[in-house]
Amino acid sequence: MDILLVASAFNSLSQRVYAELSDLGHRVDVVLASQGDDQIRAAVHEMRPELVIAPMLKTALPEDVWREHACLIVHPGPPGDRGPSSLDWAVAERAPRWGVTVLQAEAAMDAGVIWAAEPFPVAPVGKSDLYRNEVSDAAVTAVRTAVRRYAEGSYKPRSQTDESISVVWREAFRQERRRIDWARDDTETVLRKLRGADSQPGVRDELLGREVFLHGGHPEDRLGGHPGELLARRAGAVCRATRDGAVWIPELRPRKNSGDPAPFRRPAASVLAACEPSLDLPEAPVPLSLPSDRRTWTDIRYRQRGDVGFLGFSFPGGAMSTDQCQRLLAAYRHALSHPTRVLVLGGDRDFFSNGIHLNVIEAAPDPGWESWVNLNAMDDLVEAVLTTTDRLVVAALAGNAAAGGAMLALATDEVWCRTGVVLNPHYRRMGLYGSEFWTYTLPRRVGPEQAHRLTTEALPVSAASAERLGLVDRLVPAAPGDFPAEVRQLAAELASSPFLDARIAAKSAARAAGEGERPLAAYREAELARMHTLFFDPEAPYHALRSAFVRKTPSGSPRPLTPPAGDLR
């Protein structure tokens, strides 16, 4: 079928729906609702789609579009649920299970007939993590079901007047409901409020006499103090006391009218340092190998099980600043100091990595220089992985990877990928040539022609397509919560393989031969020469694209490209 996606942003779910429907052979195009109703009408007129699907829509479709065309809306709530903040309510009310409903657009919001619905368990994680994982899995299943039913032509969608459906209208979840009472709310209540707003919109609060938004929350088991007091910092996050404990807050966002020149999310400690340069919070370090009974936060961990080392990392939004790259490289070297046969990289859930940290770069006094330093730190990390020859290194992707983060994964010997993951192995949307040794790793994986196509078309790749192309070695068909256990089992099997020593020896020989043909330093030098030009040219598109993306101005919305006919990615 010809399918048009209408989305407020080409976000993780929109990308996954695009990629998986394309995998099924449908001809899929995308128009962004942020471009206005006339652009939606123009796209519909030009494509004349058999079906319009809105995987993520914050505004209503134009009435003439939904009256003249079959339009399906993906609503992140169970059948009968209505309102703009469904997932916020699910987190706030500690619902054990929730659902995604695909319904037909009509005048009343979320009131159309139901084409498909899929339940999912509500994991005790942040709303954005839940959205990119359990919600995404359920949404794609429901969309695929709805598309199949529509194509078959015999299915009669359920009306919401059906007596088995209880209609519940949930109003917008406003800041008044999110407000934290530090003197009265216990730690679990504070965490629930923080997690329910971790990506957007944040929890409005006051720190050091200034109004800011708090993004993300994690428990702390040892520190404590007067409720609301700032206690410590760690890896860019700050710890704040509750009435019965404390929580870690990784990111803060100043208000747009606060006078802060960088009113967007960034590491909490750096935001506070800008507000109050004299603030001197004590550092509260923890070891890389935390005891299993600790209930605290850190963004990098190392653990070992027999002959397998696990280097876990989880950075907000998947972005990796200079500091995060350098700390992860130090942790990687720490992992190499342990005599393991297999080393697994990746967090238990959510993003693997999205490459350099655009928000930190945008906030820097010299964004071009910070871009350069950040990229070199990322290159150092990838080079360390590429030059590891005494064991096998595995990238275990629990979540999405893009740009330099995707290339970090490709630097390993094997890439294992949860089936719901989306890869974006390209840099074009940010006006960049790219680095992280992509000119070595990507053609080595998929061949030069596919590498050129992937980096120029700049379209999302589903996990299944990534395996077919050779970007991924193993698909792991696990629910988000089951992925870590599956990876541990697979890693143990790999470490006990009788062929492992031979593979490590062959890997070492191949790296030596490759170095003789063309040193890794030559790939790095050539890539960085191109990137240096882009970073230090104030007229280069990268600077405007980065700023618009970070500051969420309309021109910063990435525009998907239609793949050539018969060449679906």
Side-chain angles (χ1 to χ4, degrees), residues 171-215:
E171 63 184 13
F173 206 93
R174 304 190 185 282
Q175 283 293 340
E176 290 72 22
R177 292 186 179 275
R178 303 184 193 277
R179 188 180 68 84
I180 296 172
D181 187 334
W182 292 96
R184 296 185 179 183
D185 290 345
D186 61 17
T187 299
E188 291 305 314
T189 300
V190 172
L191 285 173
R192 189 165 64 253
K193 291 179 178 180
L194 291 171
R195 287 171 173 169
D198 62 341
S199 177
Q200 287 295 331
V203 175
R204 190 170 61 211
D205 203 358
E206 185 177 294
L207 278 172
L208 305 179
R210 300 195 183 192
E211 201 168 59
V212 294
F213 292 87
L214 318 179
H215 291 269

Coordinates of all heavy atoms in Angstrom, one line a residue, residues 171-215:
E171 N -7.6 14.7 31.6 CA -7.2 16.0 31.2 C -5.7 16.1 31.1 O -4.9 15.2 31.5 CB -7.7 17.0 32.3 CG -7.1 16.8 33.6 CD -7.7 17.8 34.7 OE1 -8.7 18.4 34.4 OE2 -7.1 17.9 35.8
A172 N -5.2 17.2 30.5 CA -3.8 17.4 30.4 C -3.1 17.4 31.8 O -3.6 17.9 32.7 CB -3.5 18.8 29.7
F173 N -2.0 16.8 31.8 CA -1.2 16.6 33.1 C -0.3 17.8 33.3 O 0.8 17.9 32.7 CB -0.4 15.3 33.0 CG -0.1 14.7 34.4 CD1 -1.0 13.8 34.9 CD2 1.0 15.2 35.1 CE1 -0.7 13.2 36.2 CE2 1.3 14.6 36.4 CZ 0.4 13.7 36.9
R174 N -0.8 18.8 34.0 CA -0.1 20.1 34.1 C 0.9 20.1 35.3 O 1.0 19.2 36.1 CB -1.1 21.2 34.3 CG -2.2 21.2 33.1 CD -3.0 22.4 33.1 NE -4.1 22.3 32.1 CZ -3.9 22.5 30.8 NH1 -2.7 22.8 30.4 NH2 -4.9 22.4 30.0
Q175 N 1.7 21.2 35.2 CA 2.8 21.3 36.2 C 2.3 21.3 37.7 O 3.0 20.9 38.6 CB 3.6 22.6 36.0 CG 4.6 22.5 34.8 CD 5.7 21.5 35.0 OE1 6.0 21.1 36.2 NE2 6.3 21.0 34.0
E176 N 1.1 21.8 37.9 CA 0.5 21.8 39.2 C 0.5 20.4 39.8 O 0.7 20.2 41.0 CB -0.9 22.4 39.3 CG -0.9 23.9 39.0 CD -0.7 24.2 37.5 OE1 -0.8 23.3 36.6 OE2 -0.2 25.3 37.2
R177 N 0.2 19.4 39.0 CA 0.2 18.0 39.5 C 1.6 17.4 39.6 O 1.8 16.4 40.4 CB -0.6 17.1 38.5 CG -2.1 17.4 38.4 CD -2.8 16.4 37.5 NE -4.2 16.7 37.5 CZ -5.1 16.2 38.4 NH1 -4.7 15.5 39.4 NH2 -6.4 16.5 38.3
R178 N 2.5 18.0 38.9 CA 3.9 17.4 39.0 C 4.7 18.0 40.2 O 5.8 17.5 40.5 CB 4.6 17.7 37.7 CG 4.0 17.2 36.4 CD 4.8 17.5 35.2 NE 4.1 17.3 34.0 CZ 3.9 16.1 33.4 NH1 4.4 15.0 33.9 NH2 3.2 16.0 32.2
R179 N 4.2 19.1 40.8 CA 5.0 19.8 41.8 C 5.4 18.9 42.9 O 4.7 18.1 43.4 CB 4.1 21.0 42.3 CG 4.9 21.9 43.3 CD 4.0 23.0 43.8 NE 3.0 22.5 44.7 CZ 3.2 22.2 46.0 NH1 4.4 22.5 46.6 NH2 2.3 21.8 46.8
I180 N 6.7 19.0 43.2 CA 7.3 18.2 44.3 C 7.2 19.1 45.6 O 7.7 20.2 45.6 CB 8.7 17.8 44.0 CG1 8.8 16.9 42.8 CG2 9.4 17.2 45.2 CD1 10.1 16.6 42.3
D181 N 6.7 18.5 46.7 CA 6.7 19.1 48.0 C 7.9 18.4 48.7 O 7.7 17.3 49.3 CB 5.4 18.9 48.7 CG 5.3 19.6 50.1 OD1 6.4 19.9 50.7 OD2 4.2 19.9 50.5
W182 N 9.0 19.0 48.7 CA 10.2 18.3 49.2 C 10.1 18.0 50.7 O 10.7 17.1 51.2 CB 11.5 19.2 49.0 CG 11.8 19.3 47.5 CD1 11.4 20.2 46.6 CD2 12.5 18.3 46.7 NE1 11.8 19.9 45.4 CE2 12.5 18.8 45.4 CE3 13.1 17.1 47.0 CZ2 13.1 18.1 44.4 CZ3 13.7 16.4 46.0 CH2 13.7 16.9 44.7
A183 N 9.3 18.8 51.5 CA 9.2 18.6 52.9 C 8.2 17.4 53.2 O 8.4 16.8 54.2 CB 8.7 19.8 53.6
R184 N 7.3 17.1 52.3 CA 6.3 16.1 52.6 C 6.4 14.9 51.7 O 6.1 13.8 52.2 CB 4.9 16.7 52.4 CG 4.6 17.8 53.4 CD 3.2 18.3 53.2 NE 2.8 19.4 54.2 CZ 1.6 19.9 54.3 NH1 0.6 19.5 53.5 NH2 1.4 20.9 55.2
D185 N 6.8 15.0 50.5 CA 6.8 13.8 49.6 C 8.0 12.9 49.9 O 9.1 13.3 50.2 CB 7.0 14.3 48.1 CG 5.8 15.0 47.6 OD1 4.7 14.9 48.2 OD2 5.9 15.6 46.5
D186 N 7.7 11.6 50.0 CA 8.7 10.6 50.3 C 9.5 10.4 49.0 O 9.1 10.8 47.9 CB 8.2 9.3 50.9 CG 7.2 8.6 50.0 OD1 7.2 8.9 48.8 OD2 6.5 7.8 50.5
T187 N 10.6 9.6 49.1 CA 11.5 9.4 47.9 C 10.8 8.8 46.8 O 10.9 9.2 45.6 CB 12.7 8.5 48.3 OG1 13.4 9.2 49.4 CG2 13.6 8.3 47.2
E188 N 9.9 7.8 47.0 CA 9.2 7.1 45.9 C 8.3 8.0 45.2 O 8.1 8.0 44.0 CB 8.5 5.9 46.5 CG 9.4 4.7 47.0 CD 10.4 4.3 45.9 OE1 10.0 4.1 44.7 OE2 11.6 4.2 46.2
T189 N 7.6 8.9 46.0 CA 6.7 9.9 45.3 C 7.5 10.9 44.5 O 7.1 11.2 43.3 CB 5.9 10.7 46.4 OG1 5.2 9.7 47.2 CG2 5.0 11.7 45.8
V190 N 8.7 11.3 45.0 CA 9.5 12.3 44.2 C 10.0 11.6 42.9 O 9.9 12.2 41.9 CB 10.7 12.7 45.1 CG1 11.7 13.5 44.2 CG2 10.2 13.6 46.2
L191 N 10.4 10.3 43.1 CA 10.9 9.6 41.9 C 9.8 9.4 40.9 O 10.0 9.6 39.7 CB 11.4 8.2 42.3 CG 12.8 8.2 43.0 CD1 13.1 6.8 43.5 CD2 13.9 8.7 42.0
R192 N 8.6 9.1 41.3 CA 7.5 8.9 40.4 C 7.2 10.2 39.6 O 7.0 10.2 38.4 CB 6.3 8.4 41.1 CG 5.1 8.0 40.2 CD 4.1 7.2 40.9 NE 3.4 8.0 41.9 CZ 3.6 7.8 43.2 NH1 4.5 6.9 43.7 NH2 3.0 8.5 44.1
K193 N 7.3 11.4 40.3 CA 7.0 12.6 39.6 C 8.1 13.0 38.7 O 7.9 13.5 37.6 CB 6.9 13.7 40.7 CG 5.6 13.6 41.5 CD 5.5 14.7 42.6 CE 4.2 14.6 43.3 NZ 4.0 15.7 44.4
L194 N 9.4 12.7 39.1 CA 10.5 13.0 38.2 C 10.5 12.1 36.9 O 10.7 12.5 35.8 CB 11.8 12.8 38.9 CG 12.1 13.9 40.0 CD1 13.3 13.4 40.8 CD2 12.3 15.2 39.4
R195 N 10.2 10.8 37.2 CA 10.2 9.9 36.0 C 9.0 10.1 35.1 O 9.1 9.9 33.9 CB 10.1 8.4 36.6 CG 11.4 8.0 37.2 CD 11.3 6.7 37.9 NE 12.5 6.1 38.4 CZ 12.7 5.1 39.2 NH1 11.6 4.5 39.7 NH2 13.9 4.7 39.6
G196 N 7.9 10.7 35.6 CA 6.8 11.0 34.7 C 7.0 12.2 33.8 O 6.2 12.5 33.0
A197 N 8.1 12.9 34.0 CA 8.4 14.1 33.2 C 9.8 14.1 32.7 O 10.4 15.2 32.4 CB 8.1 15.3 34.0
D198 N 10.5 12.9 32.7 CA 12.0 12.9 32.6 C 12.5 13.6 31.3 O 13.5 14.3 31.3 CB 12.5 11.5 32.7 CG 12.0 10.6 31.6 OD1 11.0 10.9 31.0 OD2 12.6 9.5 31.4
S199 N 11.8 13.4 30.2 CA 12.2 14.0 28.9 C 11.5 15.3 28.7 O 12.0 16.4 28.6 CB 12.0 13.0 27.8 OG 12.4 13.7 26.5
Q200 N 10.2 15.2 28.7 CA 9.3 16.4 28.5 C 8.1 16.2 29.5 O 7.6 15.1 29.6 CB 8.8 16.5 27.1 CG 9.8 17.0 26.1 CD 10.3 18.4 26.4 OE1 9.5 19.2 27.0 NE2 11.5 18.7 26.1
P201 N 7.7 17.2 30.1 CA 8.2 18.6 30.1 C 9.2 18.9 31.2 O 9.6 20.1 31.3 CB 6.9 19.4 30.3 CG 6.1 18.6 31.3 CD 6.4 17.2 30.9
G202 N 9.6 17.9 32.0 CA 10.4 18.2 33.2 C 9.5 18.7 34.3 O 8.3 19.0 34.1
V203 N 10.0 18.7 35.5 CA 9.2 19.1 36.7 C 9.7 20.5 37.1 O 10.9 20.7 37.4 CB 9.4 18.2 37.9 CG1 8.7 18.7 39.1 CG2 8.9 16.8 37.5
R204 N 8.8 21.5 37.0 CA 9.2 22.9 37.4 C 9.5 23.0 38.9 O 8.7 22.5 39.7 CB 8.1 23.8 37.0 CG 8.5 25.3 37.1 CD 7.4 26.2 36.5 NE 6.1 26.0 37.1 CZ 5.0 26.2 36.5 NH1 4.9 26.4 35.2 NH2 3.8 26.0 37.2
D205 N 10.6 23.6 39.2 CA 11.0 23.7 40.6 C 11.9 24.9 40.8 O 12.2 25.6 39.8 CB 11.7 22.4 41.0 CG 11.7 22.2 42.5 OD1 11.1 23.0 43.3 OD2 12.2 21.1 43.0
E206 N 12.4 25.1 42.0 CA 13.3 26.2 42.2 C 14.6 25.7 42.9 O 14.6 24.9 43.8 CB 12.6 27.2 43.2 CG 13.5 28.5 43.4 CD 12.8 29.5 44.3 OE1 11.8 30.1 43.9 OE2 13.3 29.7 45.4
L207 N 15.7 26.1 42.3 CA 17.0 25.8 42.9 C 17.9 27.1 42.9 O 17.9 27.8 41.9 CB 17.7 24.7 42.0 CG 17.3 23.3 42.3 CD1 18.0 22.4 41.2 CD2 17.8 22.8 43.7
L208 N 18.5 27.3 44.0 CA 19.4 28.5 44.1 C 18.6 29.8 43.8 O 19.2 30.7 43.2 CB 20.6 28.3 43.3 CG 21.5 27.1 43.5 CD1 22.7 27.0 42.6 CD2 21.9 27.0 45.0
G209 N 17.4 29.8 44.1 CA 16.6 31.0 43.9 C 16.1 31.2 42.4 O 15.6 32.2 42.1
R210 N 16.4 30.2 41.6 CA 16.0 30.3 40.2 C 15.0 29.2 39.8 O 15.2 28.0 40.3 CB 17.2 30.2 39.3 CG 18.2 31.4 39.5 CD 19.2 31.5 38.4 NE 20.2 32.5 38.7 CZ 21.0 33.0 37.8 NH1 21.0 32.5 36.5 NH2 21.9 33.9 38.1
E211 N 14.1 29.5 38.9 CA 13.1 28.5 38.5 C 13.8 27.7 37.4 O 14.3 28.2 36.4 CB 11.9 29.1 38.0 CG 10.7 28.2 38.0 CD 9.4 29.0 37.7 OE1 9.2 29.6 36.7 OE2 8.5 28.9 38.6
V212 N 13.8 26.3 37.5 CA 14.3 25.4 36.5 C 13.4 24.2 36.4 O 12.5 24.0 37.2 CB 15.7 24.9 36.9 CG1 16.7 26.1 36.9 CG2 15.7 24.2 38.3
F213 N 13.6 23.4 35.4 CA 12.9 22.2 35.2 C 13.9 21.0 35.5 O 15.0 21.0 35.0 CB 12.3 22.1 33.8 CG 11.2 23.1 33.5 CD1 11.6 24.3 33.1 CD2 9.9 22.7 33.7 CE1 10.6 25.3 32.8 CE2 8.9 23.6 33.5 CZ 9.2 24.9 33.0
L214 N 13.4 20.1 36.3 CA 14.2 18.9 36.6 C 13.8 17.8 35.7 O 12.7 17.5 35.4 CB 13.8 18.4 38.1 CG 13.7 19.5 39.1 CD1 13.3 18.9 40.5 CD2 14.9 20.4 39.3
H215 N 14.9 17.1 35.2 CA 14.7 16.0 34.2 C 15.4 14.8 34.7 O 16.6 14.7 34.8 CB 15.3 16.4 32.8 CG 14.5 17.5 32.2 ND1 13.5 17.3 31.3 CD2 14.6 18.9 32.2 CE1 13.0 18.4 30.9 NE2 13.6 19.4 31.4

